[in-house]
Amino acid sequence: MGTSALAARLAERGAVISGVDPSAEMLAVCRERHPAFTLEVGDFNAIPFAGGSFEVVVSSFAFHEVPPPRRPAACVELARVLRPGGTLCLLDVMFASPASRGEARTAMGPYWDDDEEYCLVGDLDTLLHGAGLGATSWWQTAPFHWLVVARKPGGE
């Protein structure tokens, strides 16, 4: 959930919001701002909602926090909570290639976070397909930001 800025904008447009964050403190702030939201402590590898709970799952600038060895299971968990025919929208810092990641590191200099391992678009695409999601579409929204939209088959 983070700061809930994106969730608040979606709620303004009629979305019913359920959110997950590993920080109980962050959720307390969010709950104070948005008492109508359903909020639970959890993370990408332990989403505390039943399978098939959501028509749409949105993640904004959080997936890079998942350690690379845990990303395959995180993608399976994202697919689990989507309904058949549901959509995943994931926006994050990602790169098209190791070379573009290296260029970004050089360009950002001291602002680059060496503790983060940012995804490569192709690697995440492979993980999403391996988790049972398909029909992925990719857009580079800024120099270091990519949006992926993936669908869970079925529900047609």
Side-chain angles (χ1 to χ4, degrees), residues 44 47 54-60 63 74-83 85-91 94 124-125 127-129 131-139 147-153:
F44 283 102
I47 300 173
F54 302 106
E55 183 177 334
V56 177
V57 172
V58 177
S59 172
S60 176
F63 194 79
C75 290
V76 168
E77 187 69 347
L78 288 166
R80 180 188 71 77
V81 297
L82 277 172
R83 292 180 186 147
T87 302
L88 169 68
C89 299
L90 193 150
L91 175 66
M94 289 184 251
L124 183 55
D125 190 71
L127 293 176
L128 293 170
H129 278 88
L133 299 175
T136 54
S137 300
W138 294 86
W139 295 273
L147 170 68
V148 60
V149 175
R151 303 244 336 162
K152 184 172 183 175

Side-chain angles (χ1 to χ4, degrees), residues 21-141:
D21 196 286
S23 167
E25 294 81 12
M26 185 67 77
L27 290 176
V29 171
C30 185
R31 195 171 279 114
E32 185 175 308
R33 292 180 185 165
H34 308 285
F37 291 3
T38 299
L39 303 172
E40 300 289 341
V41 173
D43 61 37
F44 283 102
N45 290 104
I47 300 173
F49 292 97
S53 291
F54 302 106
E55 183 177 334
V56 177
V57 172
V58 177
S59 172
S60 176
F61 298 105
F63 194 79
H64 68 271
E65 299 288 346
V66 179
R70 297 187 67 192
R71 289 178 182 162
C75 290
V76 168
E77 187 69 347
L78 288 166
R80 180 188 71 77
V81 297
L82 277 172
R83 292 180 186 147
T87 302
L88 169 68
C89 299
L90 193 150
L91 175 66
D92 214 320
V93 176
M94 289 184 251
F95 298 97
S97 67
S100 64
R101 185 169 43 203
E103 290 170 7
R105 187 181 194 291
T106 299
M108 292 184 67
Y111 300 105
W112 182 266
D113 186 348
D114 281 322
D115 293 331
E116 300 290 352
E117 280 197 54
Y118 301 105
C119 287
L120 296 179
V121 169
D123 292 346
L124 183 55
D125 190 71
T126 298
L127 293 176
L128 293 170
H129 278 88
L133 299 175
T136 54
S137 300
W138 294 86
W139 295 273
Q140 188 170 11
T141 62

